[in-house]
Amino acid sequence: MNASFKQPILPPATIGIVGGGQLGQMMTLSAKAMGYQVGVLDPTSKAPAAQVADFQIVAAYDDEAALLDLARRSDVLTYEFENVDETALKAAQAYAQLPQGTELLHITGDRLNEKQFLHDHGIPVTLFAPVNDRQSLNYALNRVGTPAILKTAAGGYDGHGQADLASTTITPEAEALLAHPCILEARQEFQTEVSMMVTRSAADVVTTFPLVENQHQHHILHTTIAPANVQASVHAAARKIAVSIAEALELRGVLGIEFFVLPDDTLIVNELAPRPHNSGHYTIEACNISQFEAHIRSICGLPIPAVVQTSPTVMRNLLGDDLTLARQQLINHPEWHFHDYGKAAIKSQRKMGHVTVLNHNIDAALASVSILKGEQ
């Protein structure tokens, strides 16, 4: 699904990143530490990634001329989010390597494509059906059953573009979504949500990070506990699934895989992210290699070491005014690894930064970040 490497891309080559948010920022910091030059395309001047990159092209993500400009100034391209224009990226491959390819975006950028891909490769997923209008929604409800969740096939994140359906009665919220292609998914009763980062080298070696446990508030990731407090069989099953997905995708770069742990300790895959993931931020301090360095190594054709986690860890997102409170509390918490993304405006429920705490006592690590209660 992607271009093969004849030679690795070595420093001081230029890496072009489509997207200038916090994921791009942390990619850039890893790349700069390794001696690479970095350029960023983002419509917001002085976006988080642009603050640490060598140059920024200020333009919309679907501006093909701007993307081609970035490609001409780069040796290799990558992206930090799913909703990148595939046609423009294909054109950009005439000027710079795109080891992740565009098929990965085609699959993961559309929930229906993603579920169908996983199902076709024998990966366990919830029951699902496509929805395009009121008639197909009625058919899907009969097939999938209730309770269910109607989601837009593309563009949704952090709970946006979703409507719960407790019965076959179509709610106004669900009706509003029918203006777009959708997918209906059976709602699952699960013990917990876990996730795993996986990557694959140019030599086809798949490397997984530890399985972690995720806690959400208002559909946004709130806290990650690493490693996940689940049975050893769940860790093993997650790794097996992650390797299967990476091989099926011919993956390059890092992929985030979100799972539900069902009551019988089996797993189903909920979602894929074709990039570093919020739940993998703990790797910066807690592992011998971060998810961001692994991503850079993978897209540049460098070998990736086996991942070792050095300490149990808690990562706490800083949403909205949490950032202000965390800044004020820094003087009292030397154990915090504090990350401020440098966003221009603090907004409610917006990811402004994160705090990571390493401690062999997870309860103590959780207690350390319990002061952060600004966003509820």
Side-chain angles (χ1 to χ4, degrees):
M1 291 185 182
N2 46 61
S4 60
F5 273 86
K6 296 181 179 179
Q7 297 291 333
I9 297 172
L10 300 175
T14 299
I15 299 170
I17 303 176
V18 182
Q22 64 267 21
L23 297 178
Q25 183 186 73
M26 288 178 270
M27 284 184 200
T28 301
L29 290 169
S30 286
K32 293 296 295 176
M34 297 173 69
Y36 289 98
Q37 302 292 300
V38 179
V40 173
L41 188 153
D42 194 278
T44 302
S45 179
K46 298 182 180 179
Q51 295 170 25
V52 294
D54 294 282
F55 66 89
Q56 177 186 7
I57 297 173
V58 181
Y61 301 124
D62 60 356
D63 185 329
E64 184 167 337
L67 186 57
L68 292 179
D69 184 24
L70 179 67
R72 291 187 187 97
R73 298 172 67 179
S74 304
D75 297 288
V76 60
L77 291 177
T78 187
Y79 38 79
E80 66 143 17
F81 64 102
E82 291 88 325
N83 300 314
V84 183
D85 186 82
E86 293 177 37
T87 301
L89 273 180
K90 287 179 181 178
Q93 291 181 91
Y95 303 99
Q97 293 194 51
L98 183 69
Q100 292 161 277
T102 57
E103 184 66 10
L104 178 62
L105 283 176
H106 180 73
I107 292 169
T108 59
D110 183 286
R111 289 188 171 102
L112 187 59
N113 290 347
E114 182 175 286
K115 284 289 191 297
Q116 193 63 55
F117 171 85
L118 293 168
H119 178 267
D120 291 347
H121 285 84
I123 305 298
V125 294
T126 194
L127 191 61
F128 66 96
V131 173
N132 296 303
D133 51 28
R134 183 72 176 261
Q135 182 178 358
S136 60
L137 177 55
N138 286 326
Y139 173 80
L141 284 166
N142 288 328
R143 177 184 171 193
V144 171
T146 57
I149 309 172
L150 183 69
K151 303 178 180 180
T152 54
Y157 68 98
D158 288 346
H160 298 284
Q162 300 186 19
D164 289 328
L165 289 168
S167 70
T168 55
T169 300
I170 299 174
T171 64
E173 293 79 10
E175 188 82 51
L177 296 182
L178 296 180
H180 309 279
C182 292
I183 180 173
L184 186 74
E185 300 179 2
R187 177 179 284 281
Q188 292 287 336
E189 295 295 328
F190 56 92
Q191 295 183 48
T192 188
E193 181 184 302
V194 295
S195 61
M196 177 174 281
M197 308 308 300
V198 61
T199 188
R200 179 172 167 270
S201 72
D204 302 336
V205 177
V206 176
T207 301
T208 59
F209 285 82
L211 187 70
V212 301
E213 181 178 345
N214 298 319
Q215 300 172 357
H216 291 76
Q217 287 187 8
H218 309 296
H219 300 285
I220 302 173
L221 181 63
H222 185 270
T223 304
T224 293
I225 300 170
N229 183 24
V230 294
Q231 297 293 327
S233 60
V234 178
H235 287 267
R239 185 182 187 281
K240 183 177 180 181
I241 291 171
V243 171
S244 295
I245 292 173
E247 291 177 343
L249 289 170
E250 298 179 18
L251 179 67
R252 297 302 293 276
V254 161
L255 179 80
I257 307 173
E258 296 179 359
F259 303 87
F260 292 145
V261 183
L262 301 184
D264 63 356
D265 278 341
T266 59
L267 290 169
I268 62 171
V269 173
N270 178 45
E271 195 168 80
L272 304 179
R275 50 168 171 74
H277 190 260
N278 196 172
S279 67
H281 290 348
Y282 76 97
T283 61
I284 297 172
E285 287 87 18
C287 295
N288 61 317
I289 181 172
S290 74
Q291 63 168 342
F292 301 101
E293 182 179 343
H295 183 84
I296 298 301
R297 284 180 168 272
S298 178
I299 65 170
C300 290
L302 301 176
I304 303 166
V307 175
V308 178
Q309 184 175 349
T310 58
S311 171
T313 307
V314 166
M315 188 285 297
R316 169 68 154 81
N317 264 336
L318 300 176
L319 303 175
D321 286 334
D322 283 343
L323 178 65
T324 302
L325 181 57
R327 287 169 173 169
Q328 294 167 349
Q329 288 293 323
L330 265 179
I331 192 170
N332 300 318
H333 291 278
E335 75 279 10
W336 285 1
H337 295 275
F338 176 69
H339 296 257
D340 183 336
Y341 303 150
K343 294 185 177 180
I346 293 177
K347 298 179 182 179
S348 180
Q349 300 301 317
R350 188 184 196 190
K351 294 169 185 166
M352 303 301 303
H354 71 268
V355 167
T356 304
V357 178
L358 280 61
N359 195 316
H360 285 277
N361 184 329
I362 287 294
D363 288 337
L366 288 168
S368 171
V369 295
S370 64
I371 187 66
L372 299 170
K373 297 178 181 178
E375 290 275 332
Q376 297 297 309

